[in-house]
Amino acid sequence: MSHNNSNVVELVDQYMTIAMLKMPEIRAHVDTVTALRAFIKAGEYRPGDRLPSERDLIGRLALTRSALRKAFDVLEREGSIWRHVGKGTFVASTEPQNGSGSLAELILQVTPITLMRARLSLEPAIAREAAINASEDAISSLTMISQRTQAADNWDDYELFDDQFHRAIGISAENPLLLSLFDHLNAVRRGVAWKTVVRSSVRPACDHTSFAEHDKILAGIEARDPSAAHAAMRTHLVSVSNRLFGDA
Amino acid sequence: MSHNNSNVVELVDQYMTIAMLKMPEIRAHVDTVTALRAFIKAGEYRPGDRLPSERDLIGRLALTRSALRKAFDVLEREGSIWRHVGKGTFVASTEPQNGSGSLAELILQVTPITLMRARLSLEPAIAREAAINASEDAISSLTMISQRTQAADNWDDYELFDDQFHRAIGISAENPLLLSLFDHLNAVRRGVAWKTVVRSSVRPACDHTSFAEHDKILAGIEARDPSAAHAAMRTHLVSVSNRLFGDA
DNA sequence: AATTTAAATCAATCGAAACCAATTCAAACC
DNA sequence: GGTTTGAATTGGTTTCGATTGATTTAAATT
């Protein structure tokens, strides 16, 4: 089914006119929305700024709370504000800035599985480079972190040390560009913050299988065996993936 | 690895919700984190030095303790600080923070060889993902670019199309995070290329061996053969490397 | 009869303060 | 000199009240 474009526009236009005439409440909503837009513009609220609370605004704008909220609903739907319980209502960034904006945008697009595939693409290769280029200092640092990881007696500590271990491998690769790529990936990973869902309730016990996996990676790097380090890192990540998503 | 579909959908859904809720929060924290980084840098704290206590810092930086601690959480995860009850908060021994380092700074540190090692680490893996995930549209786009590359009659055009070809593979991987990593690497590559004047003078003739290499990569992706795509990309990059640096 | 308003209530978040546990350090003691 | 003890300090945790957006409910209005 294909419609003539102008026809559609015409129909919509007719509808709008009739609706606005016959249902004054719609017209009222439009007014409060434009009034809100004017308020935001006049207040010179910059993207990211917090607007006054709803209970405050109804006083200043002589509005009902429900009317105000309906107008906010429209603005939220069109993406010009975002709100959150306990924090407030904020004006959205009109144009995602290249620096952190693209990162935030990325976080929205990246699913946990996408993230894991990216890790599986990058980190084994980094481990391979680490096996080739790691300095003695870097290796001893890795060993130290690995020991600290095994000494962790709670999940939070373990997670922290695990992060440090992986980044230490990134450092061991002795390649600032690779490290930068790793950091970029890690920033996205941190932003995802899905751990609050998966792990806060189902918090797996501090299992010792991953200790062995870490050791295997470390052994590969110490032995200057790129393939072994690559394979060990891949195995480790697959294991992590299985722990998160459940075995297939 | 094959996943249960419902599981995946569930996870993705959870992720989306969380991300959309937490994104503004992340944005808010970024400010305090950068403020903390600035404080550490301005105070000229050397690796291993102890920072002022939290109760002291909240006075100087006009922060809440909880806000300060959240920012410290980020820095700790990043590995740039280390803290322990009763002792204090210390800046980590590995000071260089590439995470916040600017692109320009990175370009200065990256040599052509470092760059090529990074490409060899990342791009074959991306080609592998492309072989798995590329859509028909993406493949036909790749084919088109490849044909245009062969039609190039001067080096500038060839270079341009080569760039497009490699990025199109990044797109074909259907992984926004991997594509972002590729773009990051590519941004550095452009900077490094600019830096090394050598390349503009010693400009190898438009050779046709790399056409065959491109075709091989494309064939691997079309055949949905991840290993072949990976190997072909690796071979291609090694060939490029040899052309730039000379065979060993 | 249907919608809007007004108030109460819920749930998430933050900030302040109290409290906890690890560490340090110095005075007291043997 | 060596040990013990206890106060002070520090990062970590809990708790409580206030605030905010979200939701429900009953009265009011049209």
Side-chain angles (χ1 to χ4, degrees):
Chain A
M1 54 178 180
S2 73
H3 291 129
N4 188 325
N5 241 1
S6 62
N7 243 351
V8 172
V9 170
E10 216 172 308
L11 276 169
V12 169
D13 201 51
Q14 281 179 354
Y15 163 74
M16 283 304 284
T17 312
I18 294 172
M20 286 166 79
L21 290 178
K22 287 213 165 179
M23 306 187 207
E25 64 272 12
I26 287 182
R27 171 143 211 136
H29 284 176
V30 171
D31 285 349
T32 65
V33 168
T34 56
L36 256 186
R37 283 216 190 86
F39 174 83
I40 294 174
K41 193 168 186 180
E44 290 184 0
Y45 293 99
R46 310 191 51 176
D49 283 358
R50 210 193 96 176
L51 298 178
S53 74
E54 293 179 355
R55 293 168 176 82
D56 186 356
L57 273 180
I58 59 175
R60 301 200 207 182
L61 302 180
L63 282 176
T64 305
R65 191 146 167 230
S66 48
L68 174 69
R69 286 185 54 75
K70 278 186 183 175
F72 267 155
D73 285 343
V74 174
L75 290 184
E76 185 180 37
R77 231 172 263 274
E78 78 180 21
S80 43
I81 62 164
W82 55 266
R83 17 183 205 178
H84 199 65
V85 181
K87 302 189 76 171
T89 305
F90 302 78
V91 323
S93 53
T94 55
E95 187 81 27
Q97 302 137 359
N98 258 345
S100 64
S102 64
L103 187 69
E105 209 174 325
L106 245 192
I107 290 171
L108 285 180
Q109 296 173 9
V110 172
T111 70
I113 290 165
T114 306
L115 173 67
M116 188 50 77
R117 296 193 84 96
R119 290 190 71 184
L120 275 165
S121 294
L122 183 63
E123 297 199 38
I126 290 181
R128 162 174 278 141
E129 289 295 306
I132 298 172
N133 299 317
S135 66
E136 287 306 318
D137 278 358
I139 289 180
S140 67
S141 169
L142 267 177
T143 309
M144 200 177 307
I145 293 175
S146 178
Q147 288 171 352
R148 242 187 279 172
T149 308
Q150 303 205 12
D153 56 351
N154 61 72
W155 184 258
D156 283 337
D157 278 1
Y158 169 74
E159 200 181 340
L160 174 66
F161 289 140
D162 186 74
D163 279 6
Q164 290 186 355
F165 183 76
H166 283 256
R167 187 166 196 277
I169 291 176
I171 295 174
S172 305
E174 305 277 352
N175 185 323
L177 178 49
L178 275 181
L179 181 58
S180 168
L181 289 174
F182 173 82
D183 281 341
H184 188 170
L185 185 143
N186 224 15
V188 175
R189 183 160 79 95
R190 213 175 294 123
V192 168
W194 51 325
K195 63 166 184 151
T196 52
V197 179
V198 180
R199 290 186 204 146
S200 65
S201 54
V202 187
R203 190 174 264 190
C206 211
D207 70 348
H208 290 248
T209 67
S210 59
F211 295 159
E213 291 168 9
H214 275 197
D215 281 346
K216 215 160 182 182
I217 299 170
L218 183 51
I221 294 175
E222 273 182 319
R224 306 291 185 188
D225 184 340
S227 302
H230 184 282
M233 175 63 86
R234 183 174 175 78
T235 305
H236 175 50
L237 289 176
V238 168
S239 161
V240 169
S241 173
N242 286 342
R243 224 174 305 148
L244 288 178
F245 303 139
D247 294 11
Chain B
M1 71 187 159
S2 72
H3 291 124
N4 185 330
N5 239 1
S6 65
N7 238 355
V8 172
V9 170
E10 208 172 316
L11 275 169
V12 169
D13 199 51
Q14 281 180 351
Y15 159 74
M16 284 300 283
T17 311
I18 296 299
M20 288 167 77
L21 290 180
K22 294 241 162 168
M23 187 181 63
E25 183 181 331
I26 289 171
R27 197 199 153 101
H29 287 335
V30 164
D31 293 342
T32 69
V33 168
T34 54
L36 256 186
R37 282 216 192 88
F39 174 83
I40 294 175
K41 193 168 185 181
E44 289 184 1
Y45 293 98
R46 314 194 52 174
D49 282 359
R50 211 193 94 175
L51 297 177
S53 74
E54 294 180 354
R55 292 167 177 83
D56 186 358
L57 274 179
I58 60 174
R60 301 200 208 181
L61 301 180
L63 282 176
T64 308
R65 191 142 103 105
S66 46
L68 175 71
R69 288 184 53 74
K70 277 186 182 175
F72 268 154
D73 285 343
V74 174
L75 290 184
E76 185 179 34
R77 259 178 197 256
E78 216 174 66
S80 38
I81 63 165
W82 189 82
R83 37 186 188 172
H84 202 43
V85 181
K87 296 178 121 177
T89 305
F90 303 81
V91 322
S93 49
T94 59
E95 170 74 29
Q97 274 307 317
N98 261 330
S100 62
S102 68
L103 193 66
E105 224 170 301
L106 189 59
I107 288 172
L108 289 180
Q109 299 173 7
V110 173
T111 67
I113 291 175
T114 307
L115 171 68
M116 187 50 76
R117 297 193 82 96
R119 290 190 71 183
L120 274 166
S121 294
L122 183 64
E123 296 200 38
I126 289 181
R128 162 173 279 142
E129 289 294 307
I132 298 173
N133 300 316
S135 67
E136 289 305 318
D137 279 0
I139 290 179
S140 67
S141 169
L142 267 176
T143 310
M144 198 177 309
I145 293 174
S146 177
Q147 289 170 354
R148 241 185 284 171
T149 308
Q150 303 203 13
D153 58 349
N154 60 72
W155 184 257
D156 282 337
D157 278 2
Y158 169 75
E159 208 173 12
L160 176 64
F161 289 137
D162 186 72
D163 277 5
Q164 286 186 1
F165 183 75
H166 282 258
R167 187 165 197 277
I169 292 176
I171 295 173
S172 305
E174 304 277 351
N175 186 322
L177 179 50
L178 274 180
L179 181 59
S180 165
L181 290 173
F182 174 82
D183 282 340
H184 188 169
L185 184 142
N186 223 14
V188 175
R189 184 162 77 94
R190 269 185 222 111
V192 172
W194 266 88
K195 196 178 70 174
T196 57
V197 196
V198 187
R199 208 163 159 220
S200 61
S201 57
V202 186
R203 195 172 256 186
C206 198
D207 69 349
H208 289 248
T209 66
S210 60
F211 296 157
E213 291 167 8
H214 275 199
D215 281 345
K216 214 163 185 181
I217 297 170
L218 181 52
I221 293 174
E222 273 181 319
R224 306 291 184 187
D225 185 340
S227 302
H230 183 282
M233 175 63 86
R234 181 172 177 80
T235 306
H236 174 50
L237 288 177
V238 168
S239 160
V240 169
S241 173
N242 287 342
R243 225 174 305 146
L244 285 179
F245 307 134
D247 295 11

